[in-house]
Amino acid sequence: MQTLSVSLAERSYPIFIGESLLTNPECYQTYLKAKQVLIVSNTTIAPLYLAKVEQTLQSLGYKVACHILPDGEQFKDLQHVEGIFKTLLEQRFNRDCVLVALGGGVVGDMTGFAAACYQRGVAFLQIPTTLLSQVDSSVGGKTGVNHPLGKNMIGAFKQPTAVLADTSVLDTLNDREYAAGLAEVIKYGLIRDLPFLEWLEQNMAGLVARDKKLLAEAIARSCQNKADVVAADELEANDLRALLNLGHTFGHAIETAMGYGTWLHGEAVATGMLMAADLSWRLGWITQADVVRVKTILQAANLPVIPPTEMTSEQFLSLMAVDKKVLAGKLRLVLLRQLGQAVVSADFPLQTLEQTLIAGTELGQ
Ligand code: NAD
Ligand code: GLY
């Protein structure tokens, strides 16, 4: 087991990465201070892994209840968080309880948000079960739900007490979801870690084949990048943490336009990252060869690189205007100053952005 740390003074916490962590008492005992635990999972993950976590916690003396959500991004809304509150209240959960998120980013974001709100805030632990949630969403304390008018628009910052990234659970993840996780892995290389990007270029075939050693290294390097950024800018108060949103403004527009769950978050981010690279090239910041490099690694990871043909530039612009990086009504995007160095910028002509939005299959050409 590897242990990394997210350094946030009294809110610091460990990220455990390794095999068979779900049943490892070491990962729970110090981090579940209360005896009353609610495990939140979903209808896909619960039959696979809930019993293991539940039995481990019960054997350690915890009183465990469960709340099972329907599976899907389309259920990541206030109504389904309200269902978690109902279970907590019906079962008389006190302020000293702990919520355990057992699932991917959807379960993690919703459980964290419920923990941030229930009785004005209770503790929660993240057990991410997708590659995407192990390398990104479980770390850093962004929690929340979607609104019909915008992705992740309702939420709170709430750090977990620990993150258990059990790599064995990824064996049951399907190839499409696995690829979606690789998008966020590639993101770290593109925004701030050129040596990692080069390592990924050399090892993508092995990662796609799910080589365990390579996968553990990719997860650890991703989590280290995320932990460093979060430690430096926990609340996205300056533009450092915003860099983690490379491709997300384009991607969130795709997710919202196509209907939540149609394009996976990681797929939309992948195409969005190529769009951000294309715009960076049109602005003269990176070369055409750099855009080809971005496209090549995304394709090597089996990710989509063509925006939905049915989306117009007007639709993109309208949805992109509902973005948390918009300040004083001005759209700001994460772009690439060079490969391995992202910046947040509002400094682009609208016509140039429109060229990217209509480029379709011609991105980078
Ligand atoms: P997800 O939670 O929808 O999980 C993907 C699918 O895989 C689901 O059907 C799920 O039931 C299934 N699944 C999960 N673990 C499995 C396993 N081990 N075996 C078999 N099936 C499994 O999607 P995701 O990609 O994990 O997360 C996407 C969500 O995360 C989005 O809502 C996105 O907005 C959010 N997100 C949040 C942050 C953050 O910082 N909080 C960062 C990135 C993404
Ligand atoms: N996934 C973006 C962030 O955590 O800030």
Side-chain angles (χ1 to χ4, degrees), residues 5-332:
S5 174
V6 183
S7 302
L8 291 168
E10 72 285 357
R11 278 165 291 101
S12 299
Y13 54 93
I15 306 169
F16 301 117
I17 304 167
E19 294 204 41
S20 307
L21 301 188
L22 295 188
T23 51
N24 184 343
E26 242 185 273
C27 299
Y28 297 102
Q29 275 159 326
T30 324
Y31 307 97
L32 292 184
K33 300 249 185 273
K35 284 289 163 198
Q36 213 179 6
V37 176
L38 181 74
I39 305 174
V40 181
S41 193
N42 77 18
T43 48
T44 303
I45 301 148
L48 296 168
Y49 302 113
L50 180 62
K52 276 190 179 176
V53 177
E54 197 176 9
Q55 283 161 16
T56 306
L57 290 176
Q58 280 166 344
S59 73
L60 294 169
Y62 293 97
K63 182 173 166 260
V64 185
C66 304
H67 181 91
I68 307 302
L69 295 161
D71 183 6
E73 182 76 38
Q74 66 275 33
F75 304 113
K76 184 180 163 183
D77 56 21
L78 281 174
Q79 189 196 329
H80 287 87
V81 171
E82 155 58 21
I84 303 176
F85 296 146
K86 189 160 175 272
T87 300
L88 288 165
L89 288 165
E90 280 174 351
Q91 304 211 17
R92 302 279 185 272
F93 271 71
N94 304 317
R95 275 200 77 195
D96 62 353
C97 69
V98 183
L99 306 197
V100 173
L102 175 66
V106 169
V107 170
D109 281 12
M110 293 173 76
T111 308
F113 186 52
C117 300
Y118 186 65
Q119 300 200 12
R120 300 203 182 87
V122 298
F124 93 112
L125 180 108
Q126 286 271 21
I127 308 185
T129 61
T130 59
L131 179 57
L132 184 141
S133 56
Q134 294 193 352
V135 298
D136 190 356
S137 63
S138 64
V139 177
K142 278 191 182 176
T143 72
V145 293
N146 301 326
H147 188 277
L149 296 180
K151 170 88 182 143
N152 289 340
M153 277 293 144
I154 317 294
F157 284 99
K158 172 78 184 169
Q159 299 296 341
T161 54
V163 177
L164 275 65
D166 183 337
T167 50
S168 342
V169 303
L170 300 179
D171 291 345
T172 52
L173 199 62
N174 70 36
D175 287 343
R176 189 175 166 205
E177 296 290 354
Y178 182 79
L182 289 175
E184 302 280 12
V185 173
I186 294 167
K187 175 187 79 179
Y188 295 111
L190 291 174
I191 61 171
R192 70 190 304 272
D193 194 344
L194 187 58
F196 186 37
L197 181 67
E198 288 162 355
W199 182 87
L200 288 169
E201 287 174 327
Q202 280 155 22
N203 291 294
M204 190 48 78
L207 280 171
V208 168
R210 305 196 192 204
D211 178 291
K212 289 250 189 264
K213 205 160 157 268
L214 293 175
L215 186 55
E217 178 156 359
I219 294 171
R221 287 176 82 163
S222 298
C223 285
Q224 188 62 60
N225 271 294
K226 177 106 191 216
D228 290 348
V229 171
V230 169
D233 182 18
E234 181 187 8
L235 303 180
E236 209 163 305
N238 56 53
D239 282 339
L240 188 58
R241 184 161 183 171
L243 301 182
L244 294 171
N245 278 320
L246 177 69
H248 284 56
T249 307
F250 298 101
H252 285 167
I254 294 174
E255 284 185 272
T256 308
M258 302 307 288
Y260 296 132
T262 309
W263 275 56
L264 301 182
H265 176 72
E267 293 173 338
V269 165
T271 300
M273 290 195 295
L274 185 62
M275 295 174 85
D278 175 276
L279 179 54
S280 309
W281 161 64
R282 286 178 201 277
L283 295 170
W285 294 357
I286 62 173
T287 65
Q288 200 167 19
D290 289 333
V291 186
V292 171
R293 250 177 103 178
V294 176
K295 187 172 179 177
T296 303
I297 191 159
L298 293 171
Q299 286 178 316
N302 296 323
L303 286 159
V305 289
I306 303 167
T309 44
E310 54 271 64
M311 279 184 75
T312 61
S313 58
E314 290 74 27
Q315 193 178 13
F316 260 113
L317 287 173
S318 157
L319 289 167
M320 288 166 73
V322 189
D323 185 271
K324 292 188 283 306
K325 285 180 296 303
V326 171
L327 284 183
K330 188 122 181 77
L331 179 61
R332 298 173 337 124

